[in-house]
């Protein structure tokens, strides 16, 4: 599997895609799927699709492929059907930040444990978590963390609902895309 994941990373890098694997922090287990979030332009995503096709992958599902920004989600399957690769476009502030914060582990960029926690929060069975936190004597700490997280998320929601204006590109034109200027197509400097 490590060779396959490394192969996906090798194929996606020349295509201009930045990615972060999201399951590296889990206990090792057999899986036939790789999930990545990429921060890439529509043309970079097309290059990625072409590169993966040359590597024996087929697009089996795509969402938002006709959008000017490119697809939101693409599921690839290996020729022999043993591996599924799901590529999610980093379109939200959080997704872009998770890709930016990714760490290098074993030669691959991987999402941080903190970003994975945020991604998994909606799926948690809180009564189960609270039961075992109580059993382990950490229920008060869990409750403090949850209260702090709710407070932080409310602050983030306020900031996101009133985002700062997008600065002009090098040629002084404006766009809603902070990574690329739509009028002159230059790349913004970070």
């Amino acid at each position: 599997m490590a060779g396959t994941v490394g192969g996906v990373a090798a194929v996606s890098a020349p295509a201009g895609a930045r990615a972060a694997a999201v399951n590296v922090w889990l206990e090792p287990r057999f899986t036939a799927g790789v999930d990545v979030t990429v921060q890439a332009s529509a043309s970079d995503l097309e290059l990625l699709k072409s590169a993966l096709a040359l590597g024996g992958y087929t697009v089996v599902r795509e969402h938002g492929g006709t959008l000017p920004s490119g697809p939101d989600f693409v599921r690839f399957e290996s020729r022999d059907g043993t591996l599924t690769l799901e590529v999610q476009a980093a379109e939200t502030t959080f997704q872009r930040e998770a890709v930016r914060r990714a760490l290098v582990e074993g030669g691959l960029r991987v999402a941080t444990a903190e970003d994975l926690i945020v991604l998994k929060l909606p799926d948690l069975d809180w009564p189960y978590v609270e039961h075992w936190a109580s059993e382990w004597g950490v229920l008060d700490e869990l409750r403090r963390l949850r209260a702090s997280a709710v407070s932080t998320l409310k602050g983030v929601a306020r900031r996101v609902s009133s985002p700062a204006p997008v600065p002009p590109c090098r040629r002084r034109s404006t766009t809603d895309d902070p990574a690329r200027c739509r009028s002159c197509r230059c790349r913004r400097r970070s």
Side-chain angles (χ1 to χ4, degrees), residues 80-162:
D80 62 5
T82 60
L83 180 70
T84 299
L85 168 64
E86 293 186 348
V87 177
Q88 173 81 38
E91 294 182 343
T92 68
T93 302
F94 171 74
Q95 290 169 322
R96 289 187 296 272
E97 182 67 5
V99 170
R100 187 194 67 77
R101 289 172 31 91
L103 305 173
V104 176
E105 292 288 331
L108 297 173
R109 290 175 49 81
V110 297
T112 65
E114 295 84 0
D115 289 326
L116 287 177
I117 289 169
V118 172
L119 286 168
K120 300 301 181 185
L121 281 175
D123 299 330
L124 291 179
D125 178 351
W126 283 106
Y128 177 84
V129 172
E130 288 174 345
H131 167 77
W132 287 107
S134 177
E135 290 290 319
W136 282 74
V138 293
L139 183 58
D140 289 340
E141 184 176 349
L142 174 66
R143 287 182 174 154
R144 277 193 302 276
L145 286 170
R146 284 184 75 186
S148 175
V150 166
S151 174
T152 299
L153 289 173
K154 285 180 180 176
V156 168
R158 279 192 297 274
R159 286 192 304 273
V160 169
S161 66
S162 304

Side-chain angles (χ1 to χ4, degrees), residues 49 57-65 71-77 84-88:
K49 286 168 56 177
Y57 289 85
T58 304
V59 174
V60 293
R61 182 172 171 220
E62 183 173 320
H63 181 266
D72 298 329
F73 172 85
V74 184
R75 179 178 292 145
F76 298 89
E77 193 171 280
T84 299
L85 168 64
E86 293 186 348
V87 177
Q88 173 81 38

